Amino acid sequence: MQSPFFKNHLELKAKMVDFHGWEMPIQYSGIIDEHKNVREHVGLFDVSHMGKFKISGNVESQIQNLITNDISKISNNQSIYSPMCNEKGGIIDDIIISKFNSNEFLIVVNSSNIKKDFAWIKNNIKSGEIKDVTNEYALIALQGPKAENILKDAGIEQIENLKAFHFIESKFDGVDCIISRTGYTGEDGFEIFFDSKQVQIWNKLLELGSKYGIKPIGLGARDTLRLEAGLMLYGNDIDETITPLEAPLKWTVKFETEFIGKTVLEQKKVEKKMRGFEINETKRVAREGNKIYDQGKEVGVVTSGSFSPTLGKPIGYCFVPLEYPIGKEIKIGIGDKQYNGKIVSTRFYKR
């Protein structure tokens, strides 16, 4: 499948890859350059491959049953992040639910899970209507410290007053848009939804952002940015064998609500925990599946790893025994060697 901006990526000489069936840009100028540009200036991401479902009707309590977080805590024009669990407490997906009003919601899901999630949600929403609008809506992310300046220059009123995880419905370049103060980078930024036929918005944002140093950003830098910011990648860090209590997502589990998987999560003993790690003695990067060792014994596994352009060293996430504290020295197997590493927080970067 191709995003609405496929031709734009080719014009910008992006290196394209297959990503869960979508032809998407992995990089333009280079991952490290793009990463630093988002941290220091602003970047433009095509994330139209993310799944988008509209749910309408008397469905709020049914959506609550699907998620571990508490949907009653959000008002109209507000969004909430949450895992969606199966009956065993395993994570089916991590999603964002946006509330327009008590009868209208938009759910954004990971592109790898569109069919699975749609079937799961449809099966558990007994009344109300659910529609897959993935191909009807383009989705662009504008991320970095200069993102707000661009939307101000575009004439988006009160954008400076929009709080994190809130959204507005506004016109951008004459096109109806949903502009949400959300992102996947650890920077300030926005995600912009609009009719997928209105492809001119991509170039308009690049034009408006030129004086702020904007660059298009591929999936490669998107991954290193989210890794530094302590954000999970579905399929690597979390999946249906992992619970939110084992991942660093305990804050999203509200046991005072009712949701699928609650009973198991209340009763299941947590024996492993996701931690961050850093490697200081080599520039070699640990990847998913590499092993963690302690005193010669295999004790855990790497779920994500990369070189951190901000910290200048290899970092990643791993599952280790629950009792392993931050600061503990470990060994990380890369190839046929083991390198000295240290357990740290999963949050490597805070703006």
Side-chain angles (χ1 to χ4, degrees):
M1 286 182 288
Q2 293 178 353
S3 119
F5 309 105
F6 179 76
K7 287 181 180 175
N8 301 77
H9 304 319
L10 296 185
E11 286 169 8
L12 290 162
K13 297 184 167 44
K15 181 182 178 185
M16 306 297 285
V17 296
D18 181 297
F19 187 75
H20 302 298
W22 291 78
E23 291 183 77
M24 297 298 290
I26 190 82
Q27 65 180 58
Y28 302 85
S29 60
I31 291 173
I32 290 177
D33 179 64
E34 292 168 32
H35 179 111
K36 288 183 174 178
N37 209 72
V38 175
R39 290 274 179 257
E40 296 165 11
H41 305 293
V42 62
L44 186 66
F45 301 73
D46 176 11
V47 284
S48 300
H49 63 300
M50 300 292 283
K52 308 161 207 86
F53 308 150
K54 268 191 171 177
I55 304 182
S56 55
N58 185 19
V59 292
E60 187 161 338
S61 62
Q62 296 175 80
I63 293 174
Q64 177 59 73
N65 190 49
L66 287 167
I67 64 171
T68 63
N69 214 328
D70 186 354
I71 201 168
S72 72
K73 299 296 186 194
I74 63 169
S75 305
N76 294 351
N77 289 76
Q78 198 172 350
S79 304
I80 193 168
Y81 168 84
S82 181
M84 179 169 67
C85 290
N86 59 27
E87 293 89 345
K88 295 179 180 178
I91 301 172
I92 291 173
D93 204 356
D94 61 329
I95 64 178
I96 290 182
I97 305 100
S98 296
K99 179 179 179 178
F100 293 85
N101 56 61
S102 55
N103 292 302
E104 190 180 0
F105 297 84
L106 176 68
I107 296 182
V108 176
V109 307
N110 284 293
S111 62
S112 58
N113 293 332
I114 293 172
K115 287 182 180 176
K116 178 183 78 168
D117 287 3
F118 187 82
W120 178 260
I121 294 169
K122 192 173 176 63
N123 192 49
N124 284 285
I125 299 280
K126 303 301 182 187
S127 64
E129 183 184 355
I130 173 171
K131 186 182 180 189
D132 183 350
V133 294
T134 300
N135 295 321
E136 293 174 32
Y137 280 96
L139 179 54
I140 283 176
L142 187 67
Q143 302 281 304
K146 300 297 183 186
E148 184 184 285
N149 297 64
I150 295 171
L151 295 185
K152 269 188 189 173
D153 289 357
I156 308 296
E157 293 181 7
Q158 301 293 310
I159 194 70
E160 66 272 18
N161 297 325
L162 189 66
K163 295 176 182 173
F165 276 81
H166 287 66
F167 64 91
I168 54 172
E169 295 175 78
S170 182
K171 282 194 185 294
F172 176 87
D173 201 33
V175 176
D176 290 328
C177 294
I178 300 161
I179 303 174
S180 170
R181 201 160 207 152
T182 46
Y184 191 54
T185 62
E187 293 299 331
D188 185 25
F190 304 87
E191 292 176 313
I192 307 169
F193 302 77
F194 52 92
D195 183 337
S196 58
K197 296 184 187 72
Q198 304 291 339
V199 292
Q200 74 280 3
I201 286 182
W202 174 270
N203 282 336
K204 186 68 179 178
L205 282 165
L206 287 178
E207 182 189 318
L208 283 169
S210 60
K211 71 177 182 182
Y212 299 109
I214 195 170
K215 288 185 179 181
I217 313 296
L219 294 177
R222 188 169 184 251
D223 189 54
T224 56
L225 288 159
R226 70 91 193 168
L227 186 63
E228 287 184 351
L231 302 170
M232 304 293 100
L233 175 61
Y234 195 90
N236 280 54
D237 309 311
I238 51 176
D239 57 33
E240 293 194 40
T241 69
I242 303 299
T243 75
L245 305 182
E246 294 167 330
L249 297 173
K250 187 178 179 180
W251 63 276
T252 66
V253 181
K254 304 296 193 281
F255 284 116
E256 63 272 21
T257 65
E258 294 302 321
F259 58 85
I260 296 167
K262 175 181 174 179
T263 304
V264 174
L265 290 182
E266 284 178 322
Q267 296 173 355
K268 189 176 180 182
K269 186 181 177 188
V270 177
E271 296 181 340
K272 65 178 179 180
K273 192 74 181 172
M274 180 177 286
R275 302 285 191 203
F277 67 83
E278 59 181 28
I279 307 173
N280 291 304
E281 68 166 320
T282 180
K283 291 284 196 276
R284 291 186 74 184
V285 168
R287 298 294 187 192
E288 179 189 11
N290 287 161
K291 303 295 188 252
I292 306 293
Y293 299 92
D294 185 17
Q295 297 177 341
K297 182 183 171 189
E298 184 184 315
V299 294
V301 64
V302 173
T303 62
S304 282
S306 185
F307 181 79
S308 164
T310 304
L311 300 179
K313 64 175 88 168
I315 62 169
Y317 306 150
C318 61
F319 278 108
V320 289
L322 183 64
E323 64 271 16
Y324 277 38
I326 289 189
K328 181 175 174 61
E329 303 287 336
I330 52 169
K331 297 270 190 184
I332 299 159
I334 305 173
D336 56 0
K337 288 191 175 182
Q338 291 183 18
Y339 295 94
N340 293 317
K342 187 165 72 171
I343 296 288
V344 295
S345 165
T346 52
R347 189 79 183 267
F348 295 92
Y349 170 84
K350 290 180 185 175
R351 63 183 172 93

